[in-house]
Amino acid sequence: MVTIYQVSELAGVSLATVSRVMNNNAKVSDKTKQKVLDAMAELGYQPNSIAQSLASNRSNSVGVLVSELHGPFFGDMMSAIEETLRHEGKHTIITSGHSDEQREKQSIEFLIGRKCDALILHAEAVSDEYLLELERRGIEFVLINRYIESLKNRCICLDNRQGGYLATQHLLNLGHRHLVYISGPLWKQDAQARLTGHKQALNEAKIAFTQAQLFEGDYRQDSGCKGLDYFLERGQKFTAIVCANDEMASGVMSRARELGIEVPDELSIVGFDNIIYASYLYPTLTTIDYPIYDMGKMAAYSILKTVYNKKEVQVTPVFVPQLKARGSSVYHA
């Protein structure tokens, strides 16, 4: 078995230098680093990850909690995190919490027990107090899509209120005055913020908002179908629907097609997220761009900067949503 001593001898450097190269220490010059890497390649040396961890007091692994493992939204987020960390020689351990407080706690404690150097959490159900307790315990973590003022330096989030505002403002600018809204679960911070933005846009246009114009969905496609049925069954007047995510918007489009309602001629629809299939629906879906890939990448950058001492990395904590106007929304006379 090839040892670190043989690598040191062939490269003509100290054991400490070889160790620094193995741990990606920036203090080693590019020329010296290349000599060590060449020696490792020539000898076929494979670093012992356990020994590395003991020497550096790091596991070189980052735990990731997501709400669900399915769907393009979380797929993009996980891909961005894994790719960014792997590029820096770090590995990810992924688990899900299913938006349930107890499951989220169990998953977070599991990741801590696996000796992860840090955690990236898309945590929706655990309390602010639990997250503050993690900080008091000295756990390194970053939150995605959640804002807590006392943990703001750990938050990577989207301005969801502004996103909800832009979606509704777009329809108002197209002449729609009778709008209904399908929200996400209103116990979730992002769903509340998007609805707040919707109400703000209506208020500025001097249009009253009533509970009859609201259906609380669950961010899944089926609740978009149910939401459209809900408004139709109650005789609610509307020419446009704002949906708090693209899955529910696609459900509305599917159900409208079944009922013979023409989109967008008879019904304009706006979603939220800009997931990959939004531009492939027919008609293509007008939506709010949620740059979750970039946010996942930024969460990984934050960990690299604070935990792995990559000081040159720049971190953007708040992302601004943008409207993607497509075929599902048109001018209403």
Side-chain angles (χ1 to χ4, degrees), residues 59 61 93 109-116:
S59 67
S61 62
I93 301 174
E109 296 300 332
F110 164 77
L111 294 171
I112 293 170
R114 298 295 294 178
K115 304 297 182 185
C116 293

Side-chain angles (χ1 to χ4, degrees), residues 96-131:
S96 60
H98 302 285
S99 299
D100 176 84
E101 182 178 13
Q102 198 56 38
R103 288 187 181 187
E104 285 188 355
K105 283 184 179 179
Q106 290 171 350
S107 295
I108 291 169
E109 296 300 332
F110 164 77
L111 294 171
I112 293 170
R114 298 295 294 178
K115 304 297 182 185
C116 293
D117 296 331
L119 309 178
I120 296 175
L121 307 175
H122 190 283
E124 299 179 308
V126 293
S127 66
D128 289 359
E129 180 54 40
Y130 174 76
L131 295 169

